[in-house]
Amino acid sequence: MNGFLTLLQKELLRFWKVSFQTVAAPVLTALLYLLIFSHVLESKLQVYPGVSYTAFLLPGLAMMSLLQNAFANSSSSLIQSKITGNLVFVLLTPLSPLQTYLAYVLAALVRGLVVGAGVLATAPVFTTLPVANPGWILLFAVLGGVLLASLGVLAGIWADKFDQLAAFQNFLIVPLTFLAGVFYSIHSLPPFWQQVSHLNPFFYLIDGFRYGFFGASDVPPGLAFAVVGTATLVLTTVTLRLFQSGYKLRG
Amino acid sequence: MPPAIEVRGAHKRFGSVRALSDVSLEIAEGEFFGLLGPNGAGKTTLISALAGLTRLDQGSLKVMGHDVVGAYQSARRSLGVVPQELVFDPFFSVRETLRIQSGYFGLRRNDVWIDSIIDRLELTDKADANMRSLSGGMKRRVLVAQALVHKPPVIILDEPTAGVDVELRQGLWSFVSELNRAGHTIVLTTHYLEEAESLCGRIAMLKQGRVVALDSTRNLLGGIPGLRLRLRLAPGYSPQCLPEGSSVAPGGRVILTLPTCADLEPLLARLRENGARVEEIEVLQADLEEAFVSIMSSH
Ligand SMILES: Nc1ncnc2c1ncn2[C@@H]1O[C@H](COP(=O)(O)OP(=O)(O)OP(=O)(O)O)[C@@H](O)[C@H]1O
Ligand SMILES: [Mg+2]
């Protein structure tokens, strides 16, 4: 237990020591999106009745930042330790694969949550954001963080070089988050693209998260939870198995 | 009492390279053991397998009686490894690094021991410096310190003195010897054979993944056949009278090996007959380097 706590603490320190880059910078990026998109679209779009476009946009941006940062944390920590070789300090210890996995995932989840909360905390400056159901908000935030943190662990283990990781991030994570309905409701899309969006697990994360604020969403929150919960469970199991097998870590 | 380290039929391949083939050896508790061999012999591979960083294709490994796969947690608690590569975590200071390493083993209040290793490894001045700012030799000392945080009964050092200055090397050896006297089993790899000779009670030599010698240091040194002599001859002798294989250096210095002591008398007689006057004669002690070269060339 103590060993696990130490690794968790180390992973938390790792991003907290450079929180300007790992927390402040992504919050600022999200705010820039918010400023620009809401400036351009505020008067032209209303997705849900009685919800301003800026208010609609905020939870999506917060979730997007949460997801991207959770992924970035676990993946970059693992690949850095692999490439610099200091992962041996963890591998030489009695820490079990489960403990190691959980420490990486939890630290990444915390960073995701901190960044997401940072984005939401700016809400009063721009708009009034209702909170219809805090339980759903928290549930989807945690599930999204765990899902992407696990994906980050998977990518960090698999990638041998930084550019492989960057490819994973740029060609998978970023498109999936951008196309998950952060900036629009998928009901505004042509039917074909609505179908495609329904195949994107990130869509359910953002939709369910948004439901927690507005009590309105594109699909019922129960369905979103079922999809996201299953995806998280599957990915967690796969990643944990990989850790246990020693794949790429214990050659 | 189980051996500190038990290696049985270890095989490991990397593609077509046989890094270990059928390596078996036992190291008793309290030994100071040397693992020698040329570059690529498989030393680091064996150590990595013992530490659980690499999996064997075949064979079994135990540390203090604990199987390194089946009982990996007990095995790793019993083992401290100083890796060959100079690795460090640039996010932390020396003390933070050691506290974290200690914490991984579940030891969260270990500052007294940590301070004492910092002190013994002469890192006190740098205790709060970031790892990045340390010189290569200092980083290596931190690696040694990291291997010791959990007071493991078995300590494996993979070339700990590469890039470490003379003074520190001696300090390091006196520290490691002290640990050995206190009951820790020490396994050492090094390319400085005089270090191994003076420290190790027993030595295994590896070549291309195979054990080619496994014996006490004394026996390995005694195993060199012949009597080695260094002579200084007065000028004017004819080199033809020297036995085959003699090496002649300027100033009349000659190093030669005789098959047995009984061959000394005839040699001196022959030199005298040829008008070579011996000014100095010295019997050379066999050293580990010779034993090493002779074993490596005969396999
Ligand atoms: N991860 C790896 N992938 C491929 N080949 C490897 C790997 N690790 C070791 N080898 C090969 O296995 C052989 C044994 O290497 P090892 O590092 O064990 O040698 P060593 O005895 O420690 O040598 P040195 O004295 O140079 O440190 C070498 O031929 C090496 O190239
Ligand atoms: Mg080596």
Side-chain angles (χ1 to χ4, degrees):
Chain A
M1 189 61 193
N2 272 341
F4 160 75
L5 288 179
T6 305
L7 182 56
L8 176 60
Q9 193 183 4
K10 190 213 88 174
E11 283 301 301
L12 290 172
L13 273 176
R14 198 188 147 276
F15 81 80
W16 198 247
K17 280 195 171 192
V18 286
S19 52
F20 205 69
Q21 295 161 43
T22 54
V23 177
V27 169
L28 181 68
T29 308
L31 292 184
L32 290 175
Y33 278 121
L34 187 72
L35 281 174
I36 293 165
F37 277 84
S38 62
H39 172 73
V40 177
L41 295 173
E42 175 73 40
S43 52
K44 301 195 180 71
L45 259 179
Q46 193 176 46
V47 182
Y48 299 129
V51 176
S52 74
Y53 180 72
T54 309
F56 171 85
L57 190 55
L58 247 169
L61 279 176
M63 188 51 135
M64 184 175 89
S65 310
L66 183 159
L67 301 178
Q68 290 183 350
N69 281 278
F71 177 85
N73 205 70
S74 52
S75 62
S76 71
S77 176
L78 266 165
I79 197 153
Q80 272 182 20
S81 324
K82 253 170 53 173
I83 287 177
T84 57
N86 61 41
L87 194 62
V88 297
F89 299 138
V90 175
L91 297 177
L92 287 171
T93 69
L95 283 168
S96 71
L98 178 64
Q99 289 174 316
T100 315
Y101 168 74
L102 284 180
Y104 279 106
V105 167
L106 280 182
L109 171 65
V110 170
R111 169 155 156 210
L113 292 178
V114 169
V115 173
V119 176
L120 288 179
T122 61
V125 179
F126 303 99
T127 179
T128 43
L129 193 60
V131 176
N133 190 331
W136 285 114
I137 298 178
L138 203 63
L139 180 70
F140 281 99
V142 169
L143 280 176
V146 170
L147 183 70
L148 270 284
S150 294
L151 207 55
V153 169
L154 198 71
I157 293 176
W158 165 77
D160 299 311
K161 298 180 234 143
F162 283 108
D163 46 346
Q164 286 174 327
L165 190 62
F168 201 98
Q169 192 149 17
N170 294 331
F171 290 98
L172 191 70
I173 306 298
V174 173
L176 283 181
T177 41
F178 269 89
L179 298 177
V182 174
F183 300 100
Y184 51 83
S185 158
I186 62 158
H187 286 310
S188 60
L189 294 175
F192 173 76
W193 290 106
Q194 281 192 35
Q195 293 300 319
V196 172
S197 299
H198 278 118
L199 299 175
N200 178 359
F202 295 8
F203 155 73
Y204 297 91
L205 276 171
I206 287 171
D207 198 53
F209 189 61
R210 207 180 266 138
Y211 177 83
F213 290 91
F214 308 118
S217 56
D218 290 354
V219 300
L223 173 63
F225 171 68
V227 172
V228 171
T230 310
T232 308
L233 201 64
V234 169
L235 199 69
T236 300
T237 313
V238 169
T239 315
L240 191 56
R241 282 282 147 77
L242 215 58
F243 242 111
Q244 282 163 337
S245 76
Y247 173 73
K248 290 224 182 175
L249 299 178
R250 300 182 190 269
Chain B
M1 204 167 56
I5 287 181
E6 184 187 305
V7 180
R8 282 234 182 107
H11 287 267
K12 178 73 186 180
R13 298 176 75 122
F14 292 107
S16 63
V17 177
R18 285 177 171 277
L20 295 174
S21 21
D22 200 19
V23 172
S24 294
L25 50 90
E26 280 188 10
I27 301 172
E29 236 191 293
E31 274 199 81
F32 204 129
F33 190 89
L35 196 56
L36 306 182
N39 292 134
K43 305 179 294 294
T44 300
T45 304
L46 181 58
I47 293 170
S48 301
L50 282 165
L53 300 174
T54 294
R55 292 208 174 143
L56 290 180
D57 299 331
Q58 212 184 308
S60 74
L61 302 166
K62 286 183 182 167
V63 180
M64 298 300 282
H66 309 293
D67 187 87
V68 304
V69 180
Y72 71 92
Q73 291 185 316
S74 313
R76 288 186 207 156
R77 275 185 210 291
S78 309
L79 187 64
V81 176
V82 181
Q84 178 174 5
E85 305 290 336
L86 256 194
V87 289
F88 61 97
D89 193 327
F91 277 92
F92 301 106
S93 73
V94 173
R95 197 187 301 276
E96 285 171 329
T97 299
L98 297 179
R99 280 199 180 139
I100 289 169
Q101 197 63 27
S102 175
Y104 290 158
F105 285 87
L107 308 166
R108 304 260 275 178
R109 282 186 202 82
N110 198 15
D111 285 350
V112 175
W113 175 240
I114 287 175
D115 281 339
S116 99
I117 8 187
I118 286 180
D119 179 51
R120 279 309 308 256
L121 289 161
E122 297 171 43
L123 286 163
T124 314
D125 291 348
K126 298 282 176 188
D128 298 308
N130 184 283
M131 286 300 299
R132 241 180 320 214
S133 70
L134 267 53
S135 75
M138 291 170 189
K139 287 192 185 105
R140 197 167 289 283
R141 285 184 250 167
V142 177
L143 280 181
V144 176
Q146 274 176 277
L148 299 177
V149 285
H150 57 298
K151 300 192 187 163
V154 182
I155 301 162
I156 304 184
L157 304 108
D158 197 351
E159 295 190 36
T161 47
V164 172
D165 68 35
V166 183
E167 198 180 334
L168 194 92
R169 212 187 288 173
Q170 288 171 349
L172 183 63
W173 290 136
S174 79
F175 185 31
V176 172
S177 302
E178 199 177 288
L179 289 166
N180 181 235
R181 278 194 299 278
H184 295 264
T185 307
I186 310 286
V187 180
L188 162 75
T189 84
T190 179
H191 291 291
Y192 298 105
L193 297 176
E194 61 286 14
E195 282 180 359
E197 184 181 331
S198 64
L199 291 161
C200 301
R202 226 154 55 92
I203 284 172
M205 293 189 192
L206 289 181
K207 184 180 180 184
Q208 291 172 357
R210 290 180 182 282
V211 179
V212 292
L214 175 62
D215 212 333
S216 67
T217 311
R218 183 195 304 250
N219 286 347
L220 287 170
L221 293 173
I224 300 167
L227 177 67
R228 275 170 46 92
L229 297 174
R230 178 159 44 211
L231 307 179
R232 192 150 65 86
L233 300 174
Y237 67 96
S238 67
Q240 293 96 294
C241 64
L242 292 171
E244 231 174 279
S246 306
S247 65
V248 180
R253 285 182 199 284
V254 178
I255 291 181
L256 51 82
T257 306
L258 296 174
T260 65
C261 283
D263 300 296
L264 181 59
E265 200 69 38
L267 171 73
L268 294 175
R270 194 163 71 235
L271 291 173
R272 197 165 46 244
E273 280 158 25
N274 287 276
R277 192 159 52 79
V278 178
E279 293 182 329
E280 225 176 85
I281 183 161
E282 187 187 353
V283 177
L284 295 180
Q285 290 293 322
D287 65 11
L288 193 59
E289 189 156 332
E290 266 172 82
F292 184 85
V293 170
S294 121
I295 288 166
M296 288 301 150
S297 61
S298 67
H299 280 89

